[in-house]
Amino acid sequence: MELTLKNITKTFDGFVALENITFTVKEGEFVCIVGPSGCGKTTLLRIIAGLEEPTKGEILLDGEPLSHHERDIGFVFQEYGLFPWRNVLRNVEFGLEIRGIPKEERTRIAKKYIEMVGLSKFERNYPHELSGGMKQRVGIARALAVNPKLLLMDEPFGALDAQMRNILQEELANLWMKEKKTVLYVTHNVDEAIFLGDRILLMTASPGRIKEDITLELPRPRDRASPEATALRKRILETLREEIIKSL
Amino acid sequence: MKSSYYFWTDISPKWRERKFRVVSLVIFIVLWYVLSLWIRELPTPVETATTFYQLITVGEPILGRTLQEHTLASIKIVLKGFIIGTVIAIPLGIIIGRYKLAENLLNFIVETFRPIPPLAWIPLGFVLFRGLKETGWFQIISHLLGLGTSVAAMVQVFVVFVGAFFPILLNTIQGVKAVNPIYIDVARTFGATEREIVWKIVIPASFPNIITGIRVGLGVGWMCVVAAEMIGGSSSGVGLFIWDMYSIGGGSAEIVCGMIAIGLVGYIMNEVLLFVQRRVFKWS
Ligand SMILES: Nc1ncnc2c1ncn2[C@@H]1O[C@H](COP(=O)(O)OP(=O)(O)OP(=O)(O)O)[C@@H](O)[C@H]1O
Ligand SMILES: [Mg+2]
């Protein structure tokens, strides 16, 4: 699904969090948003998900206003947001339940996605029995289970250790190549953005604006250590550094 | 020496816990015995045990009822008041906890009524219910509650209701307010309606607090019924039993037995709810 943001501005009691954000994400594209802490990345995703109203501007999904589409968006939260009172299966079933899908079918669908993220053995476990990496796999399965046309991910692997993060990045890249979802992925980890994205939107320090729109022409599966990736990483890091210093 | 050493250091914590319980009970009874030698009015543990047996098998001298009959009568009253309190307090707590408007409207009233001790409602209860006794709806409610035409029983149920109501209400409000907003965001991204958010997120997420409120509320209700029965008008109940034993002069062993019955029932009610709590919340 194509996502278009037109002049999105968001203020909280006079504090400008986002200023004039305009960009388009094409159908099937994996776009990463990279920016310094506090520049409004989460706020931007929340606005796109319909959890927050923009102060100004307009959001279009396939050319139509957001309100017609709320249910076609999946959101993966940094803090996982799993329901502790539901086991893995029932967590993944949640969105299907809201959509009124009958019990048997939603169990079947949920199991399929749990298998996809490699957690079939843990269907009956409760979130507190899972590691961080497993929890986020459940979070991803839950978001994908309703087959959303747009997937929003807010630093989904931010709380994980480096090894686990790399593994999940690879899994996510594979999943995406299979499912071909439109993905908007927020991170402040430049390596992650280069590994996953078709495009990287660099944001300025608060108030957040789009500073650069970089298209990555790197072949997939990505090689983290390729000279192109290294050069790109250096360039992005320098830009980010400037932004962070400016904000101090 | 060796065996006493093992007595204290047994590896199983569960058994150690039980042993400690037994040990503390033995120490308590010994202290009680010493005290009862000293204070003549206090019955000895043995006298009390004998009386307890008498009360269970034969019954008390005034109405000829056994202690368990009295206790059961009190439990019935408690459950009635407690269930009404729960049924009203939980939905009200959810509404106050979730909707700012309801909170602003009701918070002042709740906080003004809350400090009034449940027992302070007894006189007003008698006045009101006596006045209402002939009305149809009083008779319907009284009938539904299985209270016959007893104004006193109605007052007792009402006092238990007041006692149980506030702990349940406050814990529910607190639980609802403490629901992690991210759970609600997740539900909203899936397009959940407000109704679904309340049923599928707010209620299960605040359940641990609600159960705590229920546990505390039942405990307070139990204290209230015993006190309310002493005030008068009742025809049965542990509170009445204790008061009657006092009124006929002396009977301190009987009084202590009544108190033991109250303590045991309270203990069991609490344990049952703790068990439910652990069962339902294997996730927390
Ligand atoms: N509900 C709110 N009320 C007031 N201010 C808010 C609110 N939500 C966010 N902000 C402010 O808006 C700014 C952007 O916040 P946001 O969480 O979107 O940043 P972020 O880029 O996601 O940061 P991080 O990288 O640390 O996650 C911050 O200064 C934050 O304090
Ligand atoms: Mg954020």
Side-chain angles (χ1 to χ4, degrees), chain A residues 41-42 78 154-155 186:
Chain A
K41 305 182 292 294
T42 297
Q78 172 170 4
D154 189 5
E155 301 192 40
V186 160

Side-chain angles (χ1 to χ4, degrees), chain A residues 46 79 82 84-85 97 128, chain B residues 182-183 185 200 282-283:
Chain A
R46 289 177 61 83
E79 310 86 338
L82 299 186
W85 59 91
E97 222 173 286
H128 73 97
Chain B
I182 208 171
Y183 300 149
D185 285 343
K200 290 180 189 285
K282 35 184 200 288
W283 52 268

Side-chain angles (χ1 to χ4, degrees), chain B residues 77 84 125-126 129 137-143 145 147-161:
Chain B
I77 298 279
I84 300 172
F126 269 107
F129 291 148
W137 66 265
F138 179 92
Q139 284 165 4
I140 292 169
I141 292 173
S142 174
H143 182 74
L145 290 172
L147 300 175
T149 53
S150 166
V151 170
M154 195 68 149
V155 171
Q156 285 160 15
V157 170
F158 179 66
V159 168
V160 171
F161 161 78

